[in-house]
């Protein structure tokens, strides 16, 4: 009886909301069963002769029996078929109006009682049906009441009052209008409550995700010292207990002791402790779950290593800015020294020893200038501007540009792509700086004494994950393992004229492009510096 607006409501509800609609329809069908029993009682009881005064007993009793059978069938079977709610509502209302009209026609007096009983059906359906359909069924019910009134006067000679039928029709329309308004308000409130509930669930999920992924460990401990919740960081900091234990005294005795000390004295011990073997040191902090809740406590575990790394990063950033400022101040005096040495070298009165000293000054001034440029580049930290690059075509252009700029002599620099096209997302300018540095290092150090260097650029995709890779390979003596562990550290160099910043800057630029730079020793001698890029862009 109640499902014309059900499909609209199902669209606005979740799966749990459709169950609510089914329950409403079920109870509406139960009311129809009660209504059918009332009509059956009127038609078959002793009052059918004394009080109701049946005019057409056969019609009335057949109508009552049929209506009871339909009501029971609808209550038992119709509610199960949620796909046909709307059809069942429309059919049920038609049957309700027809049954009540025939029952009213079959009796001589008190037909107005059945008309008022139908008022519940019309009003209840109006809270669920669209407005037009609600008023349509109100008009249909009014027509049924007037029709039985007219036929009763013509056939039964009952002299039924037309005023009573008119009052019933007016009541149907008034109740329908009121219930349509209430139904709309009810659906709006229900939709608002559903949206608020969905927002709250989403907010709870977001909060849960944030807490779970926090670097700070979080535990919820009750008054019995039982741990109810912990996030991933807390589980790692207390040793990842996997045997189902949740007693804080057994999981982390020292943390339990500090919690007891805080509960009794409200004082926090800021000494760092390690709660599990191999776990970093933490500083526990405690706070109540609510202002008046002395039982449940939130425990925060601050990883001191994270604090130390943040402090180190701040220190390095400050030192970088300071070094950049100092390097900027050095450039002007350094330029003056280089210019003066150049002018002095043009003098014709200098002997060979003086010219050698001037050459030393110019060489070391150039080295200092290279260090200053690297430090300024490190301090600026230029933001990468990535774009889609075909690494195969880019490597071929790079080789041509490199040979046009630098005389490689007897050395060889070649591109050896293993695939026709490999695309990735990278800043081509920064990639140019990285590979230029790697190729220069390979030409300088990647060859045996007295032999030319053989440097190759290899472009391919990894077989396991399909990640684009660019290898700079040489066939020199390789790098010793102890030295290889430090080559990416700033200012580390094994050459007397090196700055120790080239590989460090190359790795930092790779990180800025979400790429990685690593050193791989080759079997039989040689070195490979591999740049692994992020996954290739998806086609549009």
């Amino acid at each position: 009886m109640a499902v014309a607006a059900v499909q609209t409501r199902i669209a606005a509800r979740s799966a749990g909301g459709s169950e609510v609609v089914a329950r409403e329809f079920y109870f509406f069908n139960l009311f129809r069963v009660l209504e059918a029993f009332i009509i059956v009682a009127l038609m078959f009881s002793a009052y059918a002769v004394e009080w109701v005064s049946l005019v057409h007993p056969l019609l009335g009793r057949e109508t009552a029996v049929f209506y009871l059978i339909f009501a029971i069938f609808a209550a038992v079977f119709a509610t199960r078929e949620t796909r046909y709610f709307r059809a069942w509502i429309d059919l049920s209302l038609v049957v309700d109006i027809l049954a009540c009209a025939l029952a009213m026609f079959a009796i001589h007096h008190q037909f107005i009682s059945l008309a008022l009983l139908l008022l519940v059906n019309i009003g209840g359906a109006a809270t669920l049906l669209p407005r037009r359909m609600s008023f349509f069924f109100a008009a249909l019910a009014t027509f049924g009441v007037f029709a039985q009134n007219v036929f009763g006067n013509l056939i039964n000679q009952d002299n039924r009052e037309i005023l009573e039928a008119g009052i019933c029709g007016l009541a149907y329309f008034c109740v329908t209008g009121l219930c349509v308004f209430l139904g709309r308000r009810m659906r709006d409130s229900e939709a608002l409550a559903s949206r608020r509930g969905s927002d709250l669930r989403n907010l709870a999920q977001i909060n849960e995700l944030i807490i779970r992924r926090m670097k700070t460990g979080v535990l919820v401990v009750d008054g019995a010292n039982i741990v109810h919740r912990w996030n991933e960081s807390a589980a790692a900091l207390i040793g990842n207990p996997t045997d189902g234990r949740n007693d804080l005294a057994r999981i982390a005795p020292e943390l339990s002791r500090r919690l007891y000390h805080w509960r009794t004295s409200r004082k926090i011990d800021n000494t760092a402790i390690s709660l599990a073997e191999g776990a970093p040191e933490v500083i526990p902090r405690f706070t109540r779950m609510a202002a008046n809740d002395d039982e449940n406590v939130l425990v925060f575990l601050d990883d001191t290593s994270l604090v130390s790394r943040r402090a180190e990063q701040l220190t390095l950033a400050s030192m970088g800015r300071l070094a950049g400022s100092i390097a900027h101040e050095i450039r002007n005096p350094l330029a003056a020294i280089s210019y003066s040495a150049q002018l002095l070298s043009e003098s014709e009165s200098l002997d060979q020893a003086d010219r050698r000293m001037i050459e030393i000054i110019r060489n070391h001034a150039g080295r200092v200038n290279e260090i200053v440029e690297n430090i300024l580049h490190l301090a600026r930290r230029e933001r990468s501007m990535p774009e889609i690059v075909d690494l195969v075509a880019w490597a071929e252009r790079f080789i041509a540009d490199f040979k046009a700029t630098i005389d490689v002599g007897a050395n060889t620099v070649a591109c050896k792509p293993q695939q026709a096209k490999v695309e990735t997302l990278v800043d081509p300018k920064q990639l140019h700086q990285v590979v230029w540095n790697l190729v220069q290092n390979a030409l300088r150090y990647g060859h045996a004494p007295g032999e030319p260097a053989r440097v190759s650029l290899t472009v391919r995709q990894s077989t396991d994950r399909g990640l684009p890779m660019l290898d700079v390979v040489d066939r020199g003596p390789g790098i010793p393992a102890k030295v290889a562990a430090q080559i990416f550290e700033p200012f580390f160099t094994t050459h007397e004229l090196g700055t120790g910043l080239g590989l460090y800057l190359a790795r930092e630029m790779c990180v800025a492009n979400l790429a990685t730079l690593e050193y791989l020793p080759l079997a039989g001698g040689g070195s490979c510096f591999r740049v692994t890029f992020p996954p290739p862009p998806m086609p549009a």
Side-chain angles (χ1 to χ4, degrees):
M1 200 92 212
V3 184
V6 169
Q7 292 181 345
T8 304
R9 297 171 66 180
I10 289 178
R13 294 181 177 186
S14 61
S18 62
E19 294 178 0
V20 174
V21 173
R23 188 168 59 250
E24 293 173 355
F25 186 52
Y26 174 72
F27 284 113
F28 204 85
N29 287 329
L30 285 184
F31 172 77
R32 181 179 295 106
V33 173
L34 174 62
E35 188 177 20
F37 272 113
I38 293 175
I39 295 176
V40 168
L42 288 176
M43 297 300 171
F44 287 93
S45 68
Y47 292 100
V49 177
E50 299 178 3
W51 181 58
V52 178
S53 182
L54 289 174
V55 180
H56 303 283
L58 182 61
L59 175 63
R61 287 167 182 170
E62 287 179 351
T63 300
V65 172
F66 170 78
Y67 189 49
L68 178 61
I69 294 174
F70 175 81
I72 295 174
F73 178 83
V76 175
F77 296 102
T79 309
R80 300 179 183 178
E81 295 294 332
T82 57
R83 296 174 298 174
Y84 306 111
F85 273 175
R86 173 61 185 270
W88 273 108
I89 290 180
D90 295 342
L91 177 61
S92 299
L93 279 175
V94 171
V95 173
D96 291 339
I97 294 171
L98 180 61
C100 287
L102 292 176
M104 285 186 286
F105 176 74
I107 62 178
H108 181 65
H109 299 294
Q110 306 298 332
F111 74 92
I112 195 64
S113 301
L114 295 178
L116 295 178
L117 194 62
L118 186 60
L119 193 65
V120 178
N121 302 64
I122 300 300
T127 61
L128 300 170
L129 290 171
R131 182 179 60 181
R132 290 185 179 180
M133 290 302 299
S134 299
F135 281 105
F136 169 76
F137 283 113
L140 187 62
T142 303
F143 175 78
V145 172
F146 271 100
Q148 68 82 26
N149 190 287
V150 171
F151 280 102
N153 289 333
L154 293 177
I155 299 174
N156 301 337
Q157 302 298 321
D158 286 342
N159 295 322
R160 302 187 181 192
E161 291 292 339
I162 196 70
L163 179 61
E164 293 180 354
I167 292 175
C168 289
L170 180 61
Y172 291 153
F173 279 96
C174 292
V175 170
T176 297
L178 178 62
C179 290
V180 165
F181 173 76
L182 293 177
R184 184 184 299 113
R185 293 292 298 270
M186 180 179 64
R187 286 190 291 272
D188 292 343
S189 300
E190 186 176 339
L192 178 61
S194 178
R195 289 195 300 270
R196 295 285 174 82
S198 178
D199 293 341
L200 288 176
R201 287 191 297 271
N202 293 336
L203 182 60
Q205 291 177 356
I206 293 172
N207 291 337
E208 179 74 16
L209 180 61
I210 292 173
I211 293 174
R212 188 167 65 246
R213 297 299 178 88
M214 282 175 59
K215 297 299 183 182
T216 300
V218 181
L219 300 92
V220 179
V221 185
D222 64 8
N225 221 29
I226 301 299
V227 181
H228 290 276
R229 298 288 298 273
W230 57 53
N231 64 352
E232 295 175 359
S233 298
L237 293 172
I238 62 179
N240 291 312
T242 57
D243 56 356
R245 294 182 300 174
N246 57 358
D247 186 358
L248 186 62
R250 296 177 60 191
I251 298 174
E254 178 61 22
L255 182 60
S256 176
R257 186 192 65 80
R258 293 202 180 189
L259 176 58
Y260 175 78
H261 176 71
W262 178 82
R263 287 182 186 274
T264 55
S265 64
R266 286 294 188 270
K267 295 181 180 179
I268 297 179
D269 186 354
N270 290 320
T271 306
I273 57 172
S274 179
L275 300 177
E277 184 177 356
E281 292 187 338
V282 297
I283 299 177
R285 294 183 293 111
F286 311 99
T287 184
R288 291 182 295 182
M289 290 280 290
N292 300 322
D293 187 1
D294 292 327
E295 296 293 327
N296 299 307
V297 176
L298 275 175
V299 181
F300 297 96
L301 304 178
D302 294 326
D303 188 349
T304 56
S305 63
L306 295 177
V307 177
S308 300
R309 282 198 293 270
R310 284 196 292 267
E312 182 179 354
Q313 291 172 355
L314 291 175
T315 302
L316 289 176
S318 300
M319 291 180 62
R321 289 192 294 269
L322 177 61
S325 300
I326 295 175
H328 184 72
E329 295 298 327
I330 291 175
R331 295 183 72 180
N332 292 333
L334 184 62
I337 293 173
S338 299
Y339 184 64
S340 299
Q342 181 179 356
L343 292 178
L344 188 60
S345 65
E346 296 175 357
S347 175
E348 298 179 355
S349 61
L350 295 177
D351 57 18
Q352 191 65 28
D354 291 336
R355 293 184 180 278
R356 174 59 182 164
M357 296 298 295
I358 293 175
E359 182 180 356
I360 293 174
I361 293 174
R362 295 182 64 183
N363 289 337
H364 284 278
R367 183 188 174 198
V368 172
N369 183 67
E370 183 179 357
I371 295 175
V372 168
E373 291 295 334
N374 287 334
I375 291 177
L376 289 175
H377 182 80
L378 183 64
R380 284 193 292 266
R381 299 275 184 168
E382 296 178 356
R383 179 176 297 180
S384 63
M385 303 293 290
E387 58 186 68
I388 297 177
V389 175
D390 180 7
L391 292 177
V392 176
W394 181 91
E396 293 175 349
R397 291 195 303 270
F398 174 84
I399 295 296
D401 184 34
F402 188 87
K403 290 181 178 180
T405 306
I406 295 179
D407 183 13
V408 298
N411 302 318
T412 58
V413 180
C415 178
K416 298 179 179 180
Q418 297 185 4
Q419 293 176 248
K421 185 177 183 180
V422 178
E423 290 187 340
T424 189
L425 197 64
V426 68
D427 187 333
K429 293 182 180 179
Q430 293 186 350
L431 179 61
H432 189 278
Q433 296 180 49
V434 170
V435 179
W436 190 284
N437 189 310
L438 295 177
V439 172
Q440 276 191 324
N441 287 346
L443 291 175
R444 185 178 302 164
Y445 308 112
H447 61 88
E451 296 183 2
R454 293 178 298 164
V455 182
S456 62
L457 269 64
T458 303
V459 179
R460 62 188 179 89
Q461 285 184 300
S462 62
T463 56
D464 53 349
R465 299 175 57 191
L467 299 179
M469 296 188 302
L470 189 151
D471 295 343
V472 179
V473 181
D474 66 69
R475 289 299 174 180
I479 302 176
K482 291 184 178 180
V483 177
Q486 307 176 65
I487 57 176
F488 293 109
E489 295 180 3
F491 302 107
F492 175 81
T493 181
T494 57
H495 195 275
E496 60 180 3
L497 298 180
T499 63
L501 289 174
L503 289 178
Y504 174 75
L505 288 172
R507 188 183 64 174
E508 290 298 307
M509 282 187 283
C510 286
V511 171
N513 287 272
L514 303 179
T516 59
L517 174 62
E518 57 183 335
Y519 167 74
L520 301 173
L522 298 179
S527 300
C528 173
F529 284 89
R530 174 170 294 171
V531 181
T532 304
F533 300 92
M538 298 296 294

